[in-house]
Amino acid sequence: MNEKELIEILSSKIKLVRSEFNYNQDEMANILGVSKKTIVQIEKERQLASWTIIVTFASLFRDSTIIQRELGEEDIVYFLQTVARKNIDLKDKQKWMNQSLWKVIDERNGYILQRHVITHYYRIINQLGQRLFSSFYKKSAVRHFNEMVKQDLED
């Protein structure tokens, strides 16, 4: 995914997220640091949000179920960093949108080590889906995963 694709995806979600949090257009404009006119233009799909607006929007509303569902990412800031720094290019966007974004690397004793298929970001979650650890570094994630499993076995 690159910046342009992310802008297109999230620009179309601003109105939904605004409604999700019960903000009016004036309040959303104030939160994002733009004019109400800009919000209206984006919501009516007359213009796309700028990269700066999208980064602000996704960061401030990272707890939005709409954004999380759309991106499949719980830590939106890391996702934004990866897109901005690496400009990941997906050839088949539709395929990406229809697949799970988290690949299970290992699963033991109720701990699940996963890798995000786009950002290559690693996380360890429990069976309830609660994140216990996260890192961009595989060695670190594997080490923590093994330590958690070992500690659990010893208890």
Side-chain angles (χ1 to χ4, degrees):
M1 174 173 291
N2 59 37
E3 290 177 11
K4 183 180 179 213
E5 291 172 316
L6 190 59
I7 287 169
E8 290 172 0
I9 290 168
L10 292 183
S11 287
S12 67
K13 303 302 176 198
I14 289 178
K15 183 175 183 177
L16 291 172
V17 172
R18 180 174 63 77
S19 296
E20 178 183 12
F21 286 87
N22 296 315
Y23 289 124
N24 62 39
Q25 289 175 329
D26 286 318
E27 292 167 327
M28 183 60 100
N30 188 44
I31 290 167
L32 297 179
V34 298
S35 69
K36 179 181 177 181
K37 179 181 177 184
T38 299
I39 294 296
V40 170
Q41 296 290 69
I42 293 168
E43 288 184 358
K44 290 186 175 187
E45 298 181 6
R46 292 182 182 150
Q47 76 180 51
L48 292 173
S50 68
W51 175 246
T52 306
I53 293 170
I54 291 301
V55 169
T56 303
F57 170 66
S59 298
L60 293 176
F61 293 97
R62 64 180 172 247
D63 57 338
S64 162
T65 56
I66 293 164
I67 291 175
Q68 289 179 2
R69 186 174 357 132
E70 195 64 39
L71 299 180
E73 176 63 55
E74 292 172 4
D75 199 334
I76 303 301
V77 174
Y78 282 111
F79 186 81
L80 292 168
Q81 285 176 323
T82 302
V83 170
R85 293 179 182 168
K86 295 184 181 176
N87 284 324
I88 296 168
D89 185 22
L90 288 179
K91 302 292 182 197
D92 188 358
K93 182 177 161 188
Q94 210 46 40
K95 179 180 174 187
W96 168 74
M97 296 300 277
N98 293 331
Q99 70 182 0
S100 171
L101 295 176
W102 290 99
K103 179 181 176 190
V104 175
I105 304 298
D106 199 350
E107 185 172 356
R108 286 184 270 153
N109 297 349
Y111 298 105
I112 305 165
L113 174 61
Q114 299 177 317
R115 179 180 61 87
H116 196 274
V117 298
I118 296 172
T119 64
H120 300 285
Y121 181 68
Y122 293 88
R123 72 178 183 181
I124 300 168
I125 60 172
N126 62 18
Q127 291 176 327
L128 300 174
Q130 297 167 319
R131 186 178 46 219
L132 306 172
F133 176 83
S134 55
S135 174
F136 273 112
Y137 302 102
K138 182 178 182 178
K139 286 182 181 180
S140 178
V142 169
R143 185 180 70 246
H144 276 81
F145 179 78
N146 289 331
E147 288 172 2
M148 293 170 107
V149 170
K150 182 181 176 185
Q151 181 66 34
D152 197 49
L153 289 173
E154 291 175 358
D155 288 344

